[in-house]
Amino acid sequence: MKPLIPFLTLAFTCIARLAATPQSPVELKLSEGFKNPFGFYDAAPSFSWQLPADPQSTSQTAFEIVVASDLNLLFANADRWNSGKVASDQSLYIPYHGAKLSSRERVYWSVRYWNQHDEVSPWAEPASFELGLLTNDDWQAKWIGFPGHGKNERTQYDTPLYRPVYFRKDFSAKADVVNARLYITAKGLFEAHINGQQIGQDRMAPGWTPYHTRVETLTYDVTKNLAQGENAIGLILAEGWYAGRFGPKRTWGNEPPPEIICQLEIEYADGSQQKVLTDSSWLATTDGPIRTSGIYDGETYDANYEMPGWNRPGFAATDWIQSVEFPIDSKIQLRPKRHFTTRDKLELTPISISQPAPDTIVFDMGQNIVGVPRISLPMKKGQTLRTRVGEALNRDGTLFTGNLGTAKSINNYTAAENGIAEWQPQFTFHGFRYIEVTGHDSSQPPEFSWVKGVVQYTDFEDTGHFETSDVNINQLQSNILWGLRGNFLDIPTDCPQRAERLGWTGDAQVFAPTALFNSDLHAFWSAWLQSMREEQYDDGQIPVVIPNATGKFTETGWSDACTIIPWETYWRTGDKKVLEENYDMMLRWLDYSATHVTDGISTQRTVGDWLQPYSQQKDERRGDTDNSLISTAYYARSIELTQRTAEVLGDTGKSKELKTLHTYVKQAFQKRFFDSDGRHTGAFETQTSYLLALGFNLLSPDIAKKAANHLVRSLENADGHLRTGFLGTPLLAPTLDKIGRQDLAFDLLFKETYPSWLFSVSQGATTIWERWDGYTHLHGVNKSQGSLNHYAYGAIGEWMYERVAGIYPLEAGYKKIRIAPLVDSHLTYSKGAYQSPYGLIESEWKLKDNTLQLWLTIPPNTTAIVTLPEPYTQNVQVSGKPYQLEANSSLQLEPGTYHLTASGPASP
């Protein structure tokens, strides 16, 4: 007689499954990760969702999407699209195939799925999106500006001084407003008000794009801001990136005046509509309290110029004048913003107060940040308070500003009465840790509550977490995160403090994988890549900064961002759209690059391995690595990534062509730059020369093995220290890992003497620096005007997350995951967590008494290959049950949470 226990267990399992309905899908998102977006940019979106953490439903076998113009129609008669049941395990980026959508349209959608048992889930809680104005034809408003703006006032750099402009318009509204939308943008920066209330919480809006091609628009729901009867709209317009003293020349002198456009559309219950449009009938003045405002130089506010009620109905605008209007230029697209706006994200309180002079107070925020100071302190009527900011202090405790270049970074506030002055600059931002205050009521002792550090960056969410048993590595991770926050303000900038703040492509491409782990940057990168496409020259050149502020200036290793960032974004999100959008740009870049290639070797210009320490070049910033080696290596890399893109997109002919070309360039590279012993034959044998060759797989296996020995030797010759700049550094740890020298990768990571990652930590860094020796306790700030907030060297984060924590995508978007943590004597504990497109991935390990414990979370609708680190491959248990490892020390896990234990060999 057969035992009953297995039969009963199976029966109870079946009964339990029959009784339990799969849970609904969660985390419904649109395109690049938008939740219920408003004023959305894309009339042909894609749909994504996650399966819930439900043991009943570990995978998806089919789905159904419904889309409707009315919530009541969604499940009864989806009039926009019903996909029907689609057999597919894909839950990300399902393209919309329904009826054509148009500007202003509001749409509702939901989804359900069938699990691995062919059981259908309930419908997900409905989501929605509303489209913005998608074309220039949707705009009836006119651009407006201030007559003669900037003609009579100049800055000290002989550029036009564009004082902020205040605009207003009174209008009447009927009762029973159903919907009201404010569509608005500026060539410059704006802030909008209706009936005295600020609209939205955005900062530095609308952001920075190639203004000659495209200006992004924003949409606000102002239904509740309107009143029956008299209403008023008030706008403030500042120069910003568009018209201010900005860019590498900083003194062009021909910046055009700022302009603004808005369109208020009101829908009433009776079906009637009303529009309030910017035109020459709007009144304007430059005599408001914001006297000046610039990105580099800061903001000046004089409370004596305040105009109570200027943004409310009935204000007597007796001294205001009519605006000047301008038609919409058909060459400049007005399009909804395609990523998130900048916001006030955090607020810091000082950790200490010092007084280096009787009338000077310095507040230490304890963290190098980007944003503005907010004041709330006592002042006397007529006093002018000055806040000046900086990243460091001089030896005497005064503020160090030597690395700001020509950026003043000063904000002034003049009090109109005695009492507490409360103010925050509106149209500028700074990089700083310290706030210097002068001009206050010195009879009052300073208090910590007098200032706050308002942290501003693009409104994305954190997605990654990394920690270890080492406090210095944890500080390094914090520095990486704060460097990201500080330089991802609408675009990825090189630095946030000096008179630069440009979208350098080289910095961005080396840091992109690290950034994509730490934050939800899918939309951010996609938007910046659109600007890159718009800035590409007809001959295929890619400017080194995006938006372009340097002219026709192309550099290998920088301009290759046009192939690297699309691929990295696709690989970590799984969204093919980013490849589809940028494929033509990638091909055109290869065509241009080929014009600098002879016999497989590129002579294209490059700034080199930027800021390599101990460079022997006349311009020590450029590093010693052979420029042609760098150019050829990156040419091969761009070919490889474009070939992969062609393969993903199904362009098999181009894929085959590029494979052949890649092989040819690899062979030429090896023949030109390496001898038969694997040694670099150039004038300078640098670590970066070997890292590019090995990291980009440009050598034959036998030569690569020999070159690996030379790489190790180059480290030994440097006393175990790195000698790499912006291009070589990101490849250090991954390449050492690849050649089996993880021990050296860990040694480099934990090195505390110059140059190293932890050297800056030992000197009190709270962000990543531009130079390895940006600051020392002994000498202060490096006098080379180096930035103390420059994220490029933070690229080491990629290796920490993928190898120390062990989380890496084996298939695009983490559909298949590799969990393979490295365990080294430097650490006893590490934890990594990542909110992937499919859900939470966790890898946490702890080593004690020769026993390794590993806690894992694998999200639904994925699988994971787990490889235990040597030598901890004995006595393996998975959630308390013995497990026999495969020959490669790996095991495959389905979605769920697990606790693994394993031991190393017994001590002799």
Side-chain angles (χ1 to χ4, degrees), residues 234-252:
L235 308 175
I236 310 175
L237 173 66
E239 59 186 28
W241 292 282
Y242 176 80
R245 186 178 75 85
F246 190 80
K249 295 184 179 179
R250 303 161 180 93
T251 57
W252 286 343

Side-chain angles (χ1 to χ4, degrees), residues 64-67 74 77-85 98 123:
E64 182 179 11
I65 299 172
V66 288
V67 184
L74 188 59
N77 181 23
D79 59 339
R80 288 295 179 262
W81 185 43
N82 187 328
S83 70
K85 183 179 179 180
W123 290 102

Side-chain angles (χ1 to χ4, degrees), residues 306-470:
E306 288 181 345
M307 305 171 291
W310 73 272
N311 50 12
R312 295 179 181 274
F315 175 75
T318 53
D319 296 327
W320 293 42
I321 62 175
Q322 283 191 314
S323 303
V324 57
E325 70 177 44
F326 309 95
I328 293 176
D329 186 345
S330 60
K331 296 180 181 178
I332 301 175
Q333 299 179 1
L334 294 176
R335 296 294 184 268
K337 192 171 184 68
R338 65 172 296 176
H339 78 294
F340 305 106
T341 54
T342 296
R343 296 283 183 92
D344 293 350
K345 295 288 288 183
L346 300 166
E347 186 178 282
L348 302 186
T349 299
I351 64 169
S352 69
I353 301 173
S354 60
Q355 203 156 354
D359 62 344
T360 302
I361 303 170
V362 175
F363 295 87
D364 179 3
M365 307 312 298
Q367 173 65 54
N368 199 2
I369 65 172
V370 173
V372 292
R374 178 187 296 150
I375 62 165
S376 178
L377 47 71
M379 292 186 67
K380 294 179 180 179
K381 181 178 179 179
Q383 282 186 324
T384 296
L385 179 88
R386 184 181 78 165
T387 62
R388 191 170 64 137
V389 297
E391 294 186 301
L393 299 180
N394 294 306
R395 299 295 296 276
D396 61 0
T398 58
L399 192 70
F400 175 81
T401 59
N403 66 341
L404 300 183
T406 64
K408 295 179 181 178
S409 296
I410 294 174
N411 303 295
N412 297 299
Y413 178 92
T414 300
E417 58 185 20
N418 297 333
I420 301 297
E422 297 185 349
W423 177 61
Q424 174 182 326
Q426 293 168 260
F427 301 114
T428 188
F429 67 91
H430 315 292
F432 64 97
R433 172 172 174 168
Y434 300 92
I435 303 172
E436 177 193 85
V437 174
T438 58
H440 59 290
D441 184 353
S442 58
S443 67
Q444 302 293 323
E447 299 180 7
F448 285 90
S449 62
W450 280 12
V451 300
K452 302 288 185 183
V454 180
V455 181
Q456 298 173 327
Y457 55 93
T458 297
D459 192 26
F460 48 73
E461 298 301 322
D462 294 342
T463 51
H465 173 81
F466 177 75
E467 64 179 87
T468 72
S469 54
D470 188 90

Side-chain angles (χ1 to χ4, degrees), residues 18-93:
L18 289 171
T21 302
Q23 299 175 21
S24 301
V26 295
E27 295 295 316
L28 274 61
K29 294 181 180 180
L30 207 67
S31 296
E32 295 91 357
F34 295 88
K35 289 186 177 181
N36 301 318
F38 200 78
F40 193 56
Y41 79 94
D42 191 1
S46 63
F47 303 97
S48 301
W49 59 93
Q50 292 179 8
L51 272 60
D54 177 8
Q56 295 288 334
S57 302
T58 58
S59 62
Q60 173 187 292
T61 59
F63 67 82
E64 182 179 11
I65 299 172
V66 288
V67 184
S69 60
D70 189 297
L71 187 59
N72 295 322
L73 298 176
L74 188 59
F75 303 117
N77 181 23
D79 59 339
R80 288 295 179 262
W81 185 43
N82 187 328
S83 70
K85 183 179 179 180
V86 178
S88 172
D89 66 348
Q90 295 301 308
S91 55
L92 300 179
Y93 317 115

Side-chain angles (χ1 to χ4, degrees), residues 547-581:
N548 186 6
T550 59
K552 208 166 188 178
F553 178 32
T554 298
E555 298 280 350
T556 299
W558 270 250
S559 301
D560 293 279
C562 71
T563 63
I564 296 169
I565 294 179
W567 180 262
E568 293 292 350
T569 303
Y570 159 72
W571 187 245
R572 284 161 174 78
T573 65
D575 187 6
K576 291 183 182 180
K577 178 183 175 182
V578 71
L579 298 182
E580 294 167 346
E581 288 185 330

